[in-house]
Amino acid sequence: MTLRRRPLLLAAAALAAPMPLAAQAPAWPQRPVRLIVPYAASGGTDILARATAEALRPALPHPIIVENRAGAAGVVGSEVVARAEPDGHTLLMVVSTHVMNRYHLPSMPFDPIRDFSPIAMLTRNTMVLVAGANQPFDSLRAMIEHAKRNPGRVGTGSTEALSSFIGQELARRAGVDMPDVAYRSGGQLMNDIVAGHLPTGWTSTVSAMPHIGTGRVRVLAVSTGTRTPYFPDAPTAAEQGVTEFDLSGWVALLGPPRMDPALVATIGGAVQRAFDDAAFQQRLVALGVERDFRPPAALLEAMQRDDRIWAAAAQAGHIRPQQ
């Protein structure tokens, strides 16, 4: 063999050789996957988790089983995932208050960013202000005026730290006393709104959507700076006199810390294919979910940005730890 020909043969052999195992996409899943939802059943995140698990089922050799582990504003279920093996068989679906909790709760058993592997952002979580049709106000302006005439008597329901913060931030800017009323899930909050036990509350579009067509619930405002396509007739708070009011959240898929990036890519790719499916997108629209799919790096950036926002709000005294 000539010296000139030998390097060519060695290069061809190197190309034909199997890739190292570390560079190959891992097989996933190898058994049923636990998808932990750290909130009560029937809320917006639970509904999205079950729809996602169902959409993924035809493409996977094993099912994704949604498990509700509610408690401590999502900390109970999240801790299960923070301590799980990073093999992709225990995952977490959370809302953006997963990050905010460190400023809202007196203590946490994990770091909400460092102790999880970001897999994908799934949706934008526009919050809507809803009220029962039997309430004596039909707009945000009218609600504020009613609350001023009845200080402390118009409770605002919330389901987690974000909706609680939105409600109290709105009250602070409007100069009214509207006590926060905490609920375990959007489903429970909406049931009390419909029954007339709670005058108003902030919840997700997903939780509100099933009740809007009944005529027993009104959407008074949205939390974002632009209107949501799901309730196009619902004005923003800014349109109703509360200027520069633009607060929203997200729903994301996380895994335990130190997951193999190749495994993260495998899981994220499977979820993205489900979210790109036209039939599933139609289902999201029917549920009132605003699709906003982003890869791990973009999710991490959003989590870090939110952390800076909540840190500044806490420093200003707008978020106070629970006692």
Side-chain angles (χ1 to χ4, degrees), residues 2-321:
T2 66
L3 291 176
R4 182 179 179 183
R5 187 180 178 193
R6 187 182 180 198
L8 294 176
L9 291 174
L10 290 174
L15 290 173
M19 293 178 64
L21 290 178
Q24 293 179 348
W28 177 87
Q30 299 179 5
R31 59 181 185 274
V33 176
R34 298 170 69 198
L35 177 55
I36 304 295
V37 174
Y39 319 111
S42 80
T45 310
D46 178 63
I47 292 171
L48 177 62
R50 294 179 188 281
T52 302
E54 183 181 335
L56 284 166
R57 184 66 188 96
L60 300 180
H62 299 282
I64 294 179
I65 300 171
V66 176
E67 183 178 331
N68 296 95
R69 296 290 295 270
V75 171
V76 171
S78 298
E79 186 177 10
V80 172
V81 180
R83 300 183 184 281
E85 290 296 321
D87 57 9
H89 293 92
T90 306
L91 303 175
L92 178 70
M93 188 175 289
V94 289
V95 297
S96 52
T97 49
H98 172 79
V99 175
M100 184 182 180
N101 274 341
R102 74 158 102 220
Y103 305 103
H104 184 69
L105 302 177
S107 63
M108 292 178 63
F110 53 76
D111 184 287
I113 298 178
R114 185 186 63 243
D115 291 338
F116 296 87
S117 297
I119 298 174
M121 182 184 290
L122 305 176
T123 69
R124 182 176 97 153
N125 193 3
T126 297
M127 307 300 287
V128 293
L129 179 63
V130 293
N134 60 341
Q135 296 300 322
F137 43 81
D138 58 3
S139 69
L140 175 61
R141 286 182 186 273
M143 185 200 74
I144 291 173
E145 290 303 317
H146 181 75
K148 287 180 178 178
R149 293 192 300 269
N150 300 273
R153 297 181 62 186
V154 182
T156 304
S158 65
T159 56
E160 25 62 31
L162 177 62
S163 55
S164 174
F165 174 73
I166 289 173
Q168 293 308 294
E169 182 70 4
L170 177 70
R172 186 183 67 82
R173 295 193 190 188
V176 295
D177 178 16
M178 299 181 65
D180 180 56
V181 183
Y183 281 78
R184 288 171 58 86
S185 75
Q188 294 170 347
L189 182 150
M190 289 305 304
N191 287 338
D192 273 6
I193 291 280
V194 170
H197 303 316
L198 178 71
T200 185
W202 287 94
T203 190
S204 67
T205 54
V206 180
S207 295
M209 183 69 77
H211 301 274
I212 299 305
T214 66
R216 293 181 292 177
V217 175
R218 301 186 182 112
V219 177
L220 305 183
V222 297
S223 67
T224 48
T226 58
R227 296 192 181 196
T228 172
Y230 295 106
F231 304 117
D233 295 331
T236 66
E239 290 178 89
Q240 302 182 75
V242 185
T243 59
E244 298 182 4
F245 196 84
D246 186 3
L247 296 168
S248 63
W250 39 258
V251 178
L253 187 67
L254 306 177
R258 298 178 298 279
M259 284 182 66
D260 183 344
L263 177 59
V264 169
T266 296
I267 298 171
V271 177
Q272 182 169 12
R273 285 189 291 275
F275 271 69
D276 286 345
D277 179 75
F280 186 60
Q281 289 187 21
Q282 290 178 357
R283 184 173 185 189
L284 294 180
V285 170
L287 290 173
V289 174
E290 297 182 60
R291 180 187 182 279
D292 189 6
F293 197 95
R294 303 187 200 180
L299 170 57
L300 178 60
E301 181 181 351
M303 294 173 74
Q304 292 170 335
R305 182 192 65 240
D306 281 4
D307 193 49
R308 293 191 294 269
I309 291 172
W310 304 131
Q315 188 173 12
H318 299 161
I319 302 176
R320 294 182 176 86

